Amino acid sequence: MKFVDEFRDNGKAQSLKREIHALAERIGCSPDKPLLLMEFCGGHTHAIFRYGIEQMLPKSIEMVHGPGCPVCVLPMGRVDDCVTLAERPEVIFATFGDAMRVPGSRKSLLQAKAEGADIRMVYSPLDALTLARKNPDREVIFFGLGFETTMPSTALTVLQAEKEGIRNFSLFCNHITTVPTVKAILDSPDMRIDGFLAPGHVSMVIGARPFDFVARDYDRPIVITGFEPLDILQSIWMLLKQFAEGRSEVENQYARIVPPDGNRAALEAISKVFEIREFFEWRGLGSIDHSGVRIRKAYADYDAERKFAVPNLKIADPKSCQCGEVIKGVIKPWECKIFGTACTPETPMGALMVSSEGACAAYFSYGSVSIDELVAKREAGS
Amino acid sequence: MCLGIPGQILEITDAENSMAKVDVSGVRREVNIACIIEEGHPVEDCVGDWVLVHVGFAMSRIDEEEAEKTLAILSELGEVQEALDSMQTTL
Ligand code: SF4
């Protein structure tokens, strides 16, 4: 815990904390009418819990933990599709380890593997391509998922496969996009978010400009944020400063990594290989317009959805799930009716319980309060 | 998966396919560097660069100090080990 302590003692952290408290007072938010700030990205959620950043903030500021964990928001139907693909005898199904435990309606990939499906955990899509080279008599399918951060890697892998004429490699594309999702959150009628911390690594790829609409059209301040605890604290301070000065702008706290226009080579690869889907299904959020990409026709040979019959069934989230309300800041994670009882990290029902980057699971991993106490508090309140 | 991990480019192994050997906390593996090659920074200039590696692709150049700080924080979060383990999985 060396760095957690160091961070807490750090003079810079302490002075940011003081300034945040002073600004909150100046803005006039109060514990009854708190300012709601959303961190979109699961990596930020993780760091906020790990470093106890919420405990450094005044009660008049609440962090709302957004949907930015691609593993968490994978709908059950897509997991079922993965299992169906992986169970084909000719297929080697390659995936990031993170996706193994996500529950499908029948089973997870982990269970399918235990039952004999040839599923390999890989570090990189390039490893899946290597598998295809080494196993010319098998069909290697790579399970592509993630936001814009990982999109360039799968796009470049498809381009490499084409260049080498590798025919037994394809991509099951489940990439999702950040901007339409932020927009969907802003458009939802019960939306209460006052300002946003934008994801640093997504912005490293797409740049800062795609977030302009948040400030321009929705009059909400937004700060592109790095992943160190001081980055997050500083970005919260930058948001508060915008409120205090009556500004709504896109600011880039993570300029050391994020260029205004993003990464040209990465964006070129993305737009060469992928096109926007009309809509994509999210666990806990339902269908969101334009929130996913698929492989362009020109690369159809590398598209697992075209190459194999993917059932693509829609499986509704369990009725008791309240992930959508948690994500929009309408309720706190522990206020969900099944938090800590039917829904736990061992038996996740909703998206936010699936990985430690999800808001609900984070309470289990790092929460400074006991789960029993939270559940009791909920029962008392309802 | 979404997390970038800092590493240093040791040598270019396949210039045509933009592949380089990168050292990440003592673990060496091949990484694609297409996204950090740009006008004024051709492939041969990349040796020695510190980069942020995401799922086998160098996505951004960073300075050494930043690399060290990030590595220190990530290793406390237990995530360096996790990344290194998955980097070394044999296929
Ligand atoms: S407790 Fe489970 S169902 Fe409820 S919001 Fe959290 S993840 Fe979703």
Side-chain angles (χ1 to χ4, degrees):
Chain A
M1 300 297 265
K2 182 163 157 277
F3 285 94
V4 179
D5 294 337
E6 245 173 44
F7 161 66
R8 299 200 145 258
D9 296 338
N10 180 302
K12 191 140 187 241
Q14 286 306 320
S15 74
L16 276 169
K17 179 180 160 183
R18 271 195 304 276
E19 286 187 46
I20 286 171
H21 280 253
L23 278 171
E25 211 154 288
R26 209 170 114 199
I27 298 163
C29 46
S30 70
D32 318 320
K33 233 186 134 290
L35 200 67
L36 297 191
L37 306 181
M38 170 183 279
E39 89 278 4
F40 183 85
C41 168
H44 286 152
T45 305
H46 192 81
I48 286 172
F49 275 90
R50 187 68 168 77
Y51 286 92
I53 287 179
E54 283 182 299
Q55 283 89 284
M56 300 177 78
L57 303 177
K59 292 256 177 303
S60 55
I61 295 174
E62 268 182 28
M63 297 308 294
V64 176
H65 315 296
C69 161
V71 176
C72 303
V73 297
L74 202 65
M76 251 193 244
R78 294 304 269 191
V79 179
D80 290 354
D81 291 343
C82 288
V83 170
T84 308
L85 285 171
E87 283 177 338
R88 294 175 71 110
E90 78 277 29
V91 164
I92 298 177
F93 193 83
T95 173
F96 295 134
D98 313 48
M100 292 295 281
R101 283 184 58 241
V102 189
S105 73
R106 291 190 293 134
K107 51 185 126 172
S108 67
L109 283 168
L110 197 63
Q111 285 162 314
K113 185 177 164 72
E115 288 167 19
D118 193 349
I119 300 175
R120 317 271 181 103
M121 279 187 267
V122 293
Y123 162 68
S124 165
L126 288 174
D127 295 344
L129 196 58
T130 305
L131 279 172
R133 277 191 213 102
K134 282 191 184 164
N135 298 276
D137 51 339
R138 305 282 300 278
E139 280 290 338
V140 174
I141 302 176
F142 179 70
F143 180 26
L145 82 173
F147 286 95
E148 290 85 345
T149 316
T150 50
M151 252 184 234
S153 65
T154 46
L156 286 164
T157 303
V158 166
L159 293 172
Q160 184 67 29
E162 192 204 31
K163 185 171 167 188
E164 290 180 42
I166 297 175
R167 314 294 300 175
N168 63 328
F169 172 83
S170 61
L171 175 70
F172 182 40
C173 177
N174 284 270
H175 284 299
I176 43 183
T177 52
T178 307
V179 167
T181 310
V182 172
K183 190 167 180 315
I185 293 171
L186 282 162
D187 281 335
S188 81
D190 47 0
M191 211 287 301
R192 293 173 50 204
I193 315 295
D194 297 300
F196 292 85
L197 302 180
H201 290 151
V202 164
S203 308
M204 163 186 82
V205 173
I206 67 173
R209 294 191 215 288
F211 292 106
D212 282 350
F213 78 99
V214 177
R216 188 190 56 224
D217 302 340
Y218 291 86
D219 197 22
R220 297 284 194 292
I222 178 163
V223 175
I224 294 167
T225 306
F227 292 88
E228 286 162 26
L230 270 180
D231 288 334
I232 295 174
L233 216 49
Q234 190 182 15
S235 295
I236 294 172
W237 172 78
M238 287 165 78
L239 278 177
L240 292 189
K241 229 167 135 32
Q242 289 202 38
F243 286 113
E245 291 164 10
R247 290 182 288 126
S248 290
E249 290 166 18
V250 185
E251 290 180 312
N252 188 358
Q253 185 275 335
Y254 203 32
R256 61 187 192 275
I257 301 283
V258 176
D261 291 314
N263 184 306
R264 204 175 49 88
L267 288 172
E268 264 175 29
I270 290 176
S271 63
K272 211 165 172 184
V273 175
F274 297 125
E275 62 187 11
I276 302 286
R277 291 182 198 255
E278 286 73 44
F279 59 85
F280 198 72
E281 201 70 39
W282 293 56
R283 198 186 288 244
L285 286 178
S287 169
I288 301 178
D289 287 352
H290 310 304
S291 67
V293 297
R294 66 171 159 246
I295 297 173
R296 285 185 192 276
K297 246 213 185 95
Y299 298 94
D301 292 350
Y302 299 96
D303 185 353
E305 279 179 87
R306 287 188 170 96
K307 209 165 164 181
F308 305 93
V310 176
N312 202 359
L313 285 182
K314 224 176 112 172
I315 312 273
D317 292 321
K319 274 221 168 48
S320 41
C321 273
Q322 290 184 280
C323 299
E325 285 156 272
V326 170
I327 282 170
K328 286 177 277 183
V330 182
I331 61 171
K332 294 287 224 183
W334 49 270
E335 286 170 333
C336 169
K337 285 189 285 302
I338 54 173
F339 174 92
T341 46
C343 188
T344 65
E346 285 73 44
T347 54
M349 300 276 281
L352 305 172
M353 201 59 98
V354 174
S355 100
S356 70
E357 296 187 358
C360 293
Y363 275 85
F364 281 78
S365 317
Y366 302 115
S368 51
V369 259
S370 91
I371 301 295
D372 293 342
E373 261 171 49
L374 287 174
V375 171
K377 197 162 153 191
R378 175 188 74 214
E379 316 270 89
S382 61
Chain B
M1 174 186 90
C2 311
L3 213 78
I5 181 162
Q8 190 177 27
I9 298 180
L10 299 175
E11 55 172 316
I12 308 299
T13 48
D14 177 354
E16 200 208 317
N17 290 311
S18 310
M19 295 300 289
K21 186 158 281 171
V22 173
D23 179 311
V24 179
S25 281
V27 172
R28 290 165 183 210
R29 78 158 274 157
E30 290 227 48
V31 159
N32 180 300
I33 58 167
C35 292
I36 61 150
I37 298 168
E38 51 192 342
E39 229 173 281
H41 195 68
V43 71
E44 57 276 12
D45 284 6
C46 293
V47 176
D49 281 356
W50 282 90
V51 289
L52 215 46
V53 182
H54 286 260
V55 298
F57 290 75
M59 293 303 301
S60 175
R61 280 192 279 150
I62 54 180
D63 65 39
E64 190 171 348
E65 201 186 320
E66 168 87 8
E68 270 170 20
K69 211 162 64 177
T70 307
L71 271 174
I73 289 177
L74 289 180
S75 59
E76 173 165 336
L77 293 175
E79 289 178 17
V80 169
Q81 204 45 51
E82 215 174 283
L84 293 182
D85 290 346
S86 64
M87 269 183 196
Q88 294 180 92
T89 32
T90 40
L91 298 174

